[in-house]
């Protein structure tokens, strides 16, 4: 079984031919991915409310997909309404917070407030990390005992800092998807971070899942490591029934 914890659905402004949810499913079939947790590209880059609404309709049609409800740090009052509107339906399994598009660094007050909102909702958070600010997540996690955070892209170029952060908090998870990846970075994490805190993500459909699968293959994981990374940890974190998957 494979559970992909970092994916997107819908068109982007990048020069990529992506958009329809059918592409997510086609790539899942091509690479043997059983379940995928997706956020709406529109909600991330442009309009939280309309993007989440679009995602909710797609999720109702596609049982293999679960959703991230996008929370914009600039619109926290409306984000609370979004949580009340969509979470009770059971198809949104987590919260997605970006930092680049809302224009707030990872360590900013708006992002910390958004993480506090997620903690109150008791949903796992996938947050975009791309610099040494990932270490600041440790302090936020200490303030919110119900908060569980996935460092998307494993800090990007700051992956060694992300590993340090995950070693400091057992509620900080790492997933390593990246369009360009340094050799040995995931094995570096596996050798230092408890395996229960490592997850598999692809950044599909922006990035072909082949890259993430190559990162996994290059890490030379044991059978136990592979099971934990590829599905077992995600199933526990998001409450996914492996039989249903």
């Amino acid at each position: 079984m494979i559970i992909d914890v970092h994916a997107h659905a819908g068109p982007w402004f990048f020069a990529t031919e992506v958009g329809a949810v059918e592409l997510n499913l086609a790539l899942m079939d091509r690479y043997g991915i059983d379940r995928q947790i997706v956020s709406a590209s529109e909600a991330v880059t442009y309009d939280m409310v309309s993007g989440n609404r679009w995602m909710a309709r797609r999720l109702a049609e596609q049982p293999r997909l679960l959703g991230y409800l996008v929370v914009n740090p600039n619109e926290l009052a409306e984000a609370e309404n979004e949580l009340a509107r969509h979470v009770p339906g059971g198809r949104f399994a987590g919260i997605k917070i970006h930092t680049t598009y809302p224009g707030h660094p990872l360590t900013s007050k708006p992002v910390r407030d958004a993480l506090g909102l997620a903690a109150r909702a008791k949903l796992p958070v996938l947050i975009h990390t791309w610099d040494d600010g990932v270490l600041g997540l440790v302090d936020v996690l200490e303030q919110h005992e119900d908060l569980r955070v996935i460092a998307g892209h494993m800090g990007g170029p700051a992956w060694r800092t992300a590993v340090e952060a995950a070693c400091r908090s057992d509620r900080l998870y790492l997933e390593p998807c990246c369009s360009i990846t340094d050799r040995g970075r995931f094995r570096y994490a596996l050798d230092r971070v408890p395996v229960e805190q490592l997850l598999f993500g692809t950044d599909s459909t922006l990035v072909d899942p082949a890259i993430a699968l190559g990162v996994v293959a290059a890490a030379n994981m044991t059978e136990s490591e592979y099971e934990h990374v590829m599905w077992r940890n995600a199933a526990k974190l998001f409450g996914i029934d492996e039989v249903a998957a």
Side-chain angles (χ1 to χ4, degrees):
M1 181 187 299
I2 299 178
I3 299 175
D4 177 3
V5 304
H6 189 159
H8 308 278
W12 286 77
F13 52 82
F14 301 142
T16 53
E17 295 181 2
V18 300
V21 166
E22 285 72 19
L23 177 58
N24 292 74
L25 298 171
L27 290 171
M28 289 169 69
D29 289 340
R30 181 184 302 171
Y31 294 109
I33 297 170
D34 299 279
R35 300 297 293 273
Q36 192 174 72
I37 309 175
V38 297
S39 59
S41 307
E42 179 185 3
V44 171
T45 63
Y46 180 63
D47 189 306
M48 172 182 67
V49 174
S50 64
N52 285 334
R53 183 170 60 241
W54 178 88
M55 191 76 258
R57 292 197 295 266
R58 302 290 83 76
L59 293 173
E61 302 164 353
Q62 304 295 344
R64 292 172 65 191
L65 303 180
L66 290 170
Y68 285 113
L69 190 80
V70 174
V71 165
N72 187 332
N74 293 311
E75 303 176 65
L76 290 186
E78 187 58 44
E80 290 195 63
N81 294 333
E82 286 291 277
L83 286 163
R85 183 179 298 123
H86 293 295
V87 171
R91 300 295 289 130
F92 285 95
I95 289 172
K96 166 79 174 189
I97 300 173
H98 213 285
T99 54
T100 302
Y101 300 109
H104 294 292
L106 192 60
T107 54
S108 67
K109 185 179 185 302
V111 171
R112 287 173 176 258
D113 289 345
L115 288 166
L117 178 63
R120 293 192 294 275
K122 298 185 178 181
L123 290 174
V125 181
L126 172 64
I127 190 165
H128 180 82
T129 62
W130 204 257
D131 56 37
D132 286 336
V134 65
L135 196 59
L137 290 172
V138 176
D139 293 334
V140 182
L141 284 159
E142 288 177 351
Q143 296 167 15
H144 301 285
E145 63 180 16
D146 291 321
L147 185 61
R148 295 159 294 162
V149 177
I150 303 167
H153 310 295
M154 207 169 87
W159 50 271
R160 290 182 180 85
T161 306
V163 167
E164 179 184 349
C167 289
R168 294 188 186 185
S169 175
D170 61 3
R171 288 180 286 119
L172 181 60
Y173 299 79
L174 305 179
E175 69 81 17
C177 71
C178 197
S179 55
I180 301 174
T181 182
D182 294 337
R183 181 178 180 181
R185 65 196 281 268
F186 197 45
R187 186 68 254 174
Y188 180 93
L190 282 162
D191 288 341
R192 292 160 177 81
V193 178
V195 71
E196 292 81 9
Q197 291 170 241
L198 297 168
L199 302 164
F200 175 74
T202 65
D203 215 10
S204 182
T205 58
L206 280 173
V207 178
D208 193 289
I211 297 177
L213 289 166
V215 167
V216 166
N220 294 317
M221 290 190 286
T222 66
E223 183 176 346
S224 177
E225 287 174 334
Y226 183 89
E227 282 193 2
H228 278 85
V229 169
M230 300 305 285
W231 69 270
R232 194 178 294 279
N233 295 340
K236 180 178 180 180
L237 180 62
F238 290 98
I240 297 173
D241 186 343
E242 63 180 274
V243 176

